[in-house]
DNA sequence: GTGAATGCAAAACTTTTGCATGTAA
DNA sequence: TTACATGCAAAAGTTTTGCATTCAC
């Protein structure tokens, strides 16, 4: 296995995209990210957003989240954490269960694999929508 | 909340698509499903595959699986189960952990939500690819 | 200076839709 | 019979790419 060395440059576009993802603390679609950064960088092209997000994801700085809608969501990478999506209002709640890391080990033992990442997506009705 | 009543018909197209999903016991993309059924139904249109899969998913007969690739995968609905995807060879292993159902209850208690479905996707290297 | 990165537009894909026709119930 | 489903083609939407130019290092 021959790992090709890569050189990447911190361009203004890449920096602003990353910063916006960090500050917004939300899960954003490509389009939302593009619209958010566009005002500060009027010539920004959507192709650049795609290229940078894909690159940042490969590098592990950004994680993608697929909740079954058409578009993926992106967020800055962090501790493995999980998500609950309300089918009614589309709210996303970050889920943390203290001992969920055990799952990784159990999968590895039971199936003889090496788990590098995992994510749990639960869907249903959030607190508010259950009562309305 | 006004639930509109729906009437669906068991057409030959829908039947063959469902049967193929059941028999193949795999996770198929729309395109794979289309190609597989096309020979038996030469006039089959891809629009029909999309329409039927979406409908079957709404009805709960089919589950979709999003492993981060471009296209979704579909399989017949069954017990909640989870998946491991090998980043190297793309093999998909179905994961079953006896007590994983506890997670549902714990999420519900901790976050006050009602969980209707959940799926775990783990990624990494499978047994074979680890050693080659 | 040099090669990565960008912007733009075109191309490539994936998914949905309008409409006339077919067909299950 | 009649309303749902299909096939076809066009439309809509998403993501990638070619290429000349710009810019980080």
């Amino acid at each position: 296995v021959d790992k090709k060395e890569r050189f990447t440059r911190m361009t203004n576009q890449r920096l602003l995209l990353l910063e916006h993802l960090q500050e917004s603390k939300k899960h954003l679609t490509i389009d939302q990210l593009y619209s958010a950064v566009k005002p500060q960088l009027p010539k920004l092209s959507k192709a650049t957003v795609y290229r940078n997000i894909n690159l940042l994801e490969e590098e592990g700085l950004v994680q993608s989240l697929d909740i079954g809608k058409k578009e993926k969501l992106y967020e800055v990478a962090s501790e493995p954490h999980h998500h609950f999506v309300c089918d009614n209002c589309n709210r996303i709640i970050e889920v943390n269960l203290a001992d969920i890391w055990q799952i990784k080990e159990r999968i590895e033992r039971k199936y003889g694999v090496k788990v590098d990442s995992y994510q749990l997506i639960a869907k249903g009705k959030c607190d508010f929508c259950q009562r309305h």
Side-chain angles (χ1 to χ4, degrees), chain A:
Chain A
V1 187
D2 199 18
K3 188 189 287 186
K4 188 172 66 177
E5 189 151 7
R6 306 192 53 160
F7 303 92
T8 63
R9 296 171 178 183
M10 187 46 70
T11 60
N12 206 232
Q13 288 85 335
R14 188 166 303 161
L15 186 61
L16 283 174
L17 290 169
L18 245 184
E19 281 181 355
H20 187 79
L21 270 183
Q22 285 170 331
E23 285 160 17
S24 86
K25 292 180 193 299
K26 282 187 201 159
H27 313 77
L28 302 176
T29 63
I30 291 285
D31 202 59
Q32 291 170 332
L33 188 52
Y34 169 75
S35 302
V37 176
K38 183 81 172 175
Q40 305 163 62
L41 217 63
K43 279 198 279 187
L44 179 67
S45 147
K46 208 174 275 189
T48 297
V49 182
Y50 277 106
R51 281 188 283 230
N52 274 302
I53 280 289
N54 288 340
L55 208 153
L56 290 168
E57 192 178 5
E58 273 178 37
E59 290 176 343
L61 290 175
V62 160
Q63 282 178 331
S64 67
L65 173 66
D66 216 317
I67 60 169
K69 313 283 183 209
K70 199 173 314 186
E71 295 169 282
K72 280 192 201 170
L73 303 179
Y74 295 90
E75 62 188 334
V76 290
S78 60
E79 296 295 296
H81 63 282
H82 307 283
H83 299 87
F84 171 87
V85 183
C86 179
D87 284 328
N88 191 241
C89 69
N90 291 311
R91 176 186 326 219
I92 297 176
I93 297 174
E94 312 233 333
V95 168
N96 262 297
L97 297 179
D99 56 356
I100 206 172
W101 56 269
Q102 291 183 349
I103 287 180
K104 170 174 142 76
E105 291 187 357
R106 291 176 57 202
I107 293 175
E108 291 182 333
R109 256 196 312 253
K110 182 164 180 184
Y111 297 96
V113 300
K114 173 74 173 50
V115 173
D116 294 325
S117 68
Y118 58 104
Q119 64 178 20
L120 178 80
I121 296 187
K123 297 188 183 185
K125 292 258 184 307
C126 72
D127 190 27
F128 179 85
C129 291
Q130 277 180 84
R131 296 187 305 229
H132 294 80

